[in-house]
Amino acid sequence: MAGNIKLIVCRNPDEVAKRCAGLYIEQVRNKPESVLGFATGSTPEKTYVEIAKLAKAEKVSFSKALSFNLDEYWGLDGDHDQSYRYFMNERLFNHIDIRPWNTNVLNGKARFPEIECRAYEEKIVSVGGVDLWVLGIGNNGHIAFNEPGSPVDSRTRLVSLTQSTIDSNSDGRFFKKACEVPRCALSTGIGTIRDARKLVLLATGAKKAEAIAKAIEGPFTTDVPASLLQDHPDCTFILDTDAAGKLKSR
Ligand code: PGA
């Protein structure tokens, strides 16, 4: 079952990035004070390069926009080069005119994680909710750090990472060894993500094909967190042909 999920299949990762960047530019052009959701990981890296390029070429200003990120490693502060705050500054925020004080990333060093997570949820609500949130997907179907089994109504909280996620993030792209990867993270919940008005999930490469097929064509189940987007009213998956390779319905 595909539910409401809309599908865009692109020829390659570059085209995926251009399609997604185009959505962000259009969103901010139509509503300069948009609340934007961002993700980390290798999949959206090209999208961020494209957003910065397009914003400059088309003179689109992010100066009134606000942003929220999906998650942050627990125990890393924002200056750590593997923290998601650092990633966002380096890959995107330093290259567009978004105001640093309007960018929100969970504080991985917060003294009281419950208070940090509750405040994050309250801040999203207080600014009127997220207009457009981009997501990646883990090989195990996770979205943000909502690992299999995460409840559909889960909220921002301290979570443990699965071995599959630790292994994926220590393959040399980010951390070099599994022992370097934090075991926990602060993550927005599936309920937090489902509250966004528009969701765009990006996936590229054959390693993601199975998770994508299960998310779109499998049952709505907490075993595959991305399948919990099937009943979202405005969710688009932008895939390259490799990530779409195991879909029966294409
Ligand atoms: P990736 O991670 O983009 O680095 O593959 C995606 C995710 O784990 O959500």
Side-chain angles (χ1 to χ4, degrees):
M1 106 141 209
N4 294 328
I5 294 174
K6 294 182 278 285
L7 199 58
I8 297 176
V9 181
C10 300
R11 275 170 305 179
N12 53 49
D14 290 343
E15 217 179 278
V16 169
K18 287 196 175 110
R19 289 297 284 262
C20 183
L23 293 177
Y24 273 86
I25 293 295
E26 193 186 309
Q27 174 68 40
V28 176
R29 190 185 280 127
N30 293 338
K31 183 181 172 191
E33 68 286 8
S34 288
V35 180
L36 305 171
F38 292 117
T40 50
S42 26
T43 314
E45 285 183 304
K46 283 174 186 268
T47 297
Y48 296 151
V49 173
E50 286 299 323
I51 290 177
K53 244 198 252 173
L54 278 176
K56 200 165 171 206
E58 301 187 15
K59 299 196 170 36
V60 172
S61 173
F62 284 68
S63 61
K64 294 192 173 133
L66 293 173
S67 77
F68 289 87
N69 259 78
L70 287 172
D71 43 23
E72 180 59 284
Y73 285 116
W74 178 238
L76 300 193
D77 72 32
D79 293 332
H80 190 289
D81 64 3
Q82 291 301 336
S83 75
Y84 287 164
R85 159 55 78 184
Y86 187 92
F87 176 106
M88 288 309 300
N89 289 348
E90 291 288 304
R91 307 297 206 286
L92 182 64
F93 299 153
N94 292 346
H95 307 284
I96 56 175
D97 65 348
I98 197 164
R99 305 297 187 229
W101 53 88
N102 285 337
T103 65
N104 296 281
V105 181
L106 284 152
N107 176 5
K109 285 286 236 188
R111 197 147 161 232
F112 300 107
E114 277 162 36
I115 294 176
E116 171 72 9
C117 293
R118 200 173 328 121
Y120 203 71
E121 287 281 337
E122 285 169 3
K123 191 157 185 195
I124 293 175
V125 171
S126 76
V127 299
V130 175
D131 290 300
L132 167 63
W133 211 329
V134 68
L135 311 169
I137 181 170
N139 298 343
N140 63 359
H142 76 201
I143 48 175
F145 278 130
N146 293 287
E147 303 286 24
S150 303
V152 66
D153 59 355
S154 47
R155 292 283 153 189
T156 307
R157 66 211 184 285
L158 181 64
V159 295
S160 301
L161 308 189
T162 59
Q163 194 58 44
S164 145
T165 297
I166 292 167
D167 293 344
S168 307
N169 290 355
S170 56
D171 63 2
R173 288 173 308 146
F174 300 113
F175 294 93
K176 289 194 183 61
K177 292 190 225 132
C179 62
E180 294 169 359
V181 183
R183 269 27 192 179
C184 294
L186 299 180
S187 179
T188 52
I190 294 177
T192 325
I193 294 168
R194 282 166 50 97
D195 282 348
R197 282 182 276 285
K198 188 177 180 67
L199 292 172
V200 178
L201 184 145
L202 307 181
T204 57
K207 275 192 191 158
K208 300 289 170 71
E210 196 165 329
I212 288 293
K214 284 184 184 161
I216 297 180
E217 294 174 342
F220 181 94
T221 169
T222 55
D223 294 344
V224 182
S227 73
L228 302 174
L229 305 175
Q230 287 175 358
D231 66 346
H232 190 277
D234 190 352
C235 177
T236 304
F237 280 26
I238 308 182
L239 314 174
D240 69 355
T241 45
D242 288 338
K246 292 203 173 167
L247 288 171
K248 293 195 191 74
S249 54
R250 267 186 70 212

